[in-house]
Amino acid sequence: GESYEFKTKILGKQGLPALAIAVLLASKLELTKAEILSGLEKIVPIAGRMQPLMGQKKSLIIDDTYNASPDAVISALNTLYELPVKNKIAILGQMNELGQHSEQMHKNIGKHCDPKQIKLVVTIGEDANKFIADTAEKRGCKVVRCPSPYHAADVVLPLLNKDTVVLAKGSQNGVFAEEAVKELLLNHNDATKLVRQSHQWMKIKEGQFS
């Protein structure tokens, strides 16, 4: 029966259920309301999960690169649409492991790309380059298809300014959109905040995008 009003660093409505569960568990453990509010305000996004990072030329990069599923991509796009900024760019990588549903699921993402909201859609990966890109173009979006995250970064980098927000979302193999994010960061030390930066992972990426 209690309500909690607080500021959070979590981006997007998709993060609210996790916060609600945290409140429920904390109350069951008999923490005070003040203690619960203090804890909620300390919660920060984890790597690759709607993590805001400072981009070059005072832009904002939303790093959602850990993985991608249809519902998660749509939720991320909805969050991007809610932000009050002039220029919005979506880097959308292929969603892996969808089997026979892959074509339709990627087309559904393309249908959710709103030309009134997104200045540019940048796709990475075979199914994204075909099905997301083709469908988004039919909706009126400007689209650039890229063979790798490094090409995606080359496309986006000249477009960055203080009124730009870039959402990066995609699955792992064949996409690795965190490498596009890395090239867009203002502070290169923030690369340590990205997913899959170990020597083993970098060798895998080198093999895929040599």
Side-chain angles (χ1 to χ4, degrees):
E2 294 235 33
S3 63
Y4 291 78
E5 184 173 331
F6 60 96
K7 292 184 178 181
T8 178
K9 296 180 177 67
I10 301 296
L11 284 176
K13 295 175 182 176
Q14 60 269 40
L16 292 178
L19 298 178
I21 291 170
V23 170
L24 176 61
L25 292 174
S27 64
K28 290 293 184 180
L29 293 170
E30 300 183 353
L31 273 69
T32 67
K33 187 169 185 177
E35 289 172 328
I36 293 173
L37 287 171
S38 176
L40 288 171
E41 292 180 352
K42 293 176 183 177
I43 296 174
V44 296
I46 62 174
R49 299 289 194 184
M50 297 298 288
Q51 177 180 220
L53 297 168
M54 185 63 68
Q56 295 189 37
K57 301 177 184 176
K58 298 183 179 180
S59 61
L60 175 65
I61 313 298
I62 301 176
D63 167 35
D64 200 26
T65 57
Y66 174 73
N67 213 335
S69 64
D71 288 346
V73 176
I74 288 174
S75 293
L77 285 171
N78 287 341
T79 300
L80 179 65
Y81 296 164
E82 292 174 0
L83 298 177
V85 294
K86 183 177 180 181
N87 301 316
K88 301 172 186 179
I89 297 172
I91 300 175
L92 301 178
Q94 175 172 298
M95 300 177 291
N96 295 333
E97 301 175 359
L98 295 178
Q100 63 181 346
H101 304 292
S102 185
E103 177 177 344
Q104 187 56 54
M105 292 296 186
H106 282 87
K107 286 181 176 179
N108 289 346
I109 300 302
K111 291 176 183 176
H112 202 71
C113 292
D114 186 349
K116 295 180 180 179
Q117 289 281 353
I118 306 177
K119 180 177 181 179
L120 178 66
V121 176
V122 180
T123 56
I124 309 169
E126 184 177 351
D127 283 359
N129 286 342
K130 182 170 178 56
F131 303 122
I132 293 179
D134 290 355
T135 309
E137 279 183 332
K138 290 176 182 177
R139 285 215 63 198
C141 293
K142 182 178 179 182
V143 178
V144 176
R145 298 161 176 82
C146 295
S148 78
Y150 311 106
H151 290 86
D154 288 341
V155 170
V156 173
L157 188 58
L159 305 177
L160 298 182
N161 58 53
K162 63 181 178 63
D163 296 317
T164 301
V165 174
V166 179
L167 167 69
K169 182 74 172 165
S171 288
Q172 299 182 12
N173 291 322
V175 180
F176 296 119
E178 67 273 8
E179 295 306 305
V181 171
K182 187 187 296 184
E183 300 299 318
L184 304 178
L185 293 173
L186 175 65
N187 184 353
H188 290 297
N189 290 332
D190 280 346
T192 60
K193 300 177 181 179
L194 303 178
V195 293
R196 296 182 288 269
Q197 295 302 304
S198 69
H199 176 72
Q200 182 179 2
W201 274 115
M202 295 311 295
K203 290 292 288 183
I204 292 173
K205 296 173 193 180
E206 182 181 344
Q208 292 193 12
F209 301 116
S210 58

